[in-house]
């Protein structure tokens, strides 16, 4: 299965929303730096329209422009949920909550990489940040007490580095669009789809302190890994991987109590194959040459994770886990 270009991704998203009829709400939630529409689809159980009074779940893809596989998984989840007769896992999630999916956020930087991957080329330049050079997953608010890390990957004030956090939180239209959407939804559970590393990550990113809902997060991660065939993804508190300030999951959890996790998709060398020169291209080693095997082992696990997230979020704190 080839990767979708931006145009194909938008077309597929609109077709799936149309297929779902009245149980889908398709809306533009913002624009990128270059004016591309950031589209979200909210899906409800067959037989009813989306309603803000029900529990809400949020899925986002492609915060980083060169991590194209994330938008492919987001689209696959939309396909499963929008099917005329959703399968058991999709139906169970929709019985518990309405689900909003934003297949791609950083569309401007995704464009070149998606075109290259769709054409079978892995050496094209596809920036991580948006056209302003901002790493969108460093552009969300973080606690004033958070301590900066010594390494630039945590987010940096230097605009010439790929992890530039921007002039201030929510400075970028893409991050502001996600924040506005989250303010409206106040999601019970959330998944952010990244690559690469075969990891399930939970807050905190900015602090080594375990979250108050650690056992609930571990229950969500266990629902994901238990549904995976073969070797499951590893589970970590995000800070145990490396520090991030301005991370979306941390902001969602701190602001709304959202049980927000990140999936780092695919093995690091899945897109390299036998050509060692592909190691020189982040686009190649962050995106498998064929996305289908990755989607096949992660789509249903994502649905089960989110369903467990709604269940855990509805439980009193002392009963979670």
């Amino acid at each position: 299965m080839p990767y979708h270009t931006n145009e194909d991704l938008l077309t597929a998203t609109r077709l799936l929303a149309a297929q779902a009829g009245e149980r889908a709400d398709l809306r533009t939630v913002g624009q990128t730096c270059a004016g591309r529409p950031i589209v979200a689809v909210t899906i409800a159980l067959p037989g009813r329209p989306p309603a803000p009074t029900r529990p809400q779940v949020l899925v986002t893809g492609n915060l980083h422009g060169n991590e194209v596989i994330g938008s492919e998984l987001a689209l696959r989840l939309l396909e499963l949920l929008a099917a005329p007769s959703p399968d058991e896992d999709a139906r169970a999630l929709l019985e518990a909550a309405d689900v909003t999916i934003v297949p791609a956020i950083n569309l401007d930087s995704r464009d070149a990489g998606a075109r290259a991957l769709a054409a079978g080329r892995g050496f094209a330049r596809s920036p991580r940040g948006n056209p302003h050079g901002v790493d969108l997953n460093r552009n969300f608010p973080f606690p004033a007490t958070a301590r900066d890390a010594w390494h630039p990957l945590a987010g940096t004030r230097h605009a010439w580095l790929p992890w530039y956090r921007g002039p201030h939180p929510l400075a970028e239209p893409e991050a502001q669009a996600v924040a506005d959407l989250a303010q409206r939804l106040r999601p019970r559970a959330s998944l952010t789809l990244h690559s690469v590393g075969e990891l399930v990550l939970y807050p905190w990113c900015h602090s080594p302190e375990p979250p108050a809902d650690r056992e609930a997060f571990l229950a969500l991660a266990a629902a994901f890994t238990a549904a995976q065939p073969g070797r499951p993804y590893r589970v970590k508190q995000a800070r145990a991987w490396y520090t991030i300030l301005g991370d979306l999951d941390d902001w969602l959890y701190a602001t709304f109590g959202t049980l927000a996790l990140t999936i780092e998709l695919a093995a690091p060398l899945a897109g390299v194959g036998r050509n060692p020169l592909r190691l020189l291209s982040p686009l190649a080693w962050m995106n498998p040459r064929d996305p289908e095997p990755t989607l096949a082992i992660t789509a249903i696990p994502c649905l089960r994770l989110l369903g467990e997230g709604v269940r855990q979020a509805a439980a009193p704190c002392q009963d979670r886990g």
Side-chain angles (χ1 to χ4, degrees), residues 272-310:
V272 173
R274 298 181 180 179
N275 184 351
L277 290 176
R278 293 174 72 91
L279 283 168
L280 302 176
S281 169
L283 183 65
W285 54 262
M286 286 190 171
N287 299 282
R289 284 176 291 176
D290 179 4
E292 183 56 38
T294 296
L295 306 187
I297 64 169
T298 55
I300 295 300
C302 283
L303 295 178
R304 293 190 185 176
L305 180 156
L306 291 167
E308 179 66 17
V310 178

Side-chain angles (χ1 to χ4, degrees), residues 2 16 68 79 84 106 111 116 139-140 142 156 165 190 193 201 203 205 216 226 242 251 253 257 292 305 317:
L16 289 168
V68 183
E79 289 174 357
N106 192 355
D111 187 51
N139 193 235
F140 290 90
F142 55 88
T156 176
R165 65 172 59 117
S190 169
L193 305 175
L201 302 173
C205 285
Y242 61 86
W251 179 74
Y253 182 49
E292 183 56 38
L305 180 156
C317 270

Side-chain angles (χ1 to χ4, degrees), residues 2 20 28 31 36 40 46 54 61 68 74 91 148 154 174 181 189 217 221-222 231 241 253 262-263 285 321:
T28 297
Q31 290 188 330
R36 289 184 169 94
R54 281 195 286 273
V68 183
R91 176 171 285 274
D148 229 332
E174 300 91 346
L181 177 62
F217 281 117
R231 186 186 68 182
W241 199 24
Y253 182 49
T262 283
I263 307 293
W285 54 262

Side-chain angles (χ1 to χ4, degrees), residues 110-166:
R110 182 188 185 276
D111 187 51
R115 290 182 184 279
L117 290 168
R121 304 189 309 272
F123 288 92
R125 181 177 178 273
S126 182
R128 174 186 178 89
N130 71 356
H132 295 159
V134 175
D135 183 331
L136 296 177
N137 206 39
R138 309 293 186 274
N139 193 235
F140 290 90
F142 55 88
T145 55
R147 297 182 60 184
D148 229 332
W150 61 267
H151 58 80
L153 278 72
T156 176
R157 299 179 180 87
H158 301 296
W160 51 275
L161 288 173
W163 310 281
Y164 175 47
R165 65 172 59 117

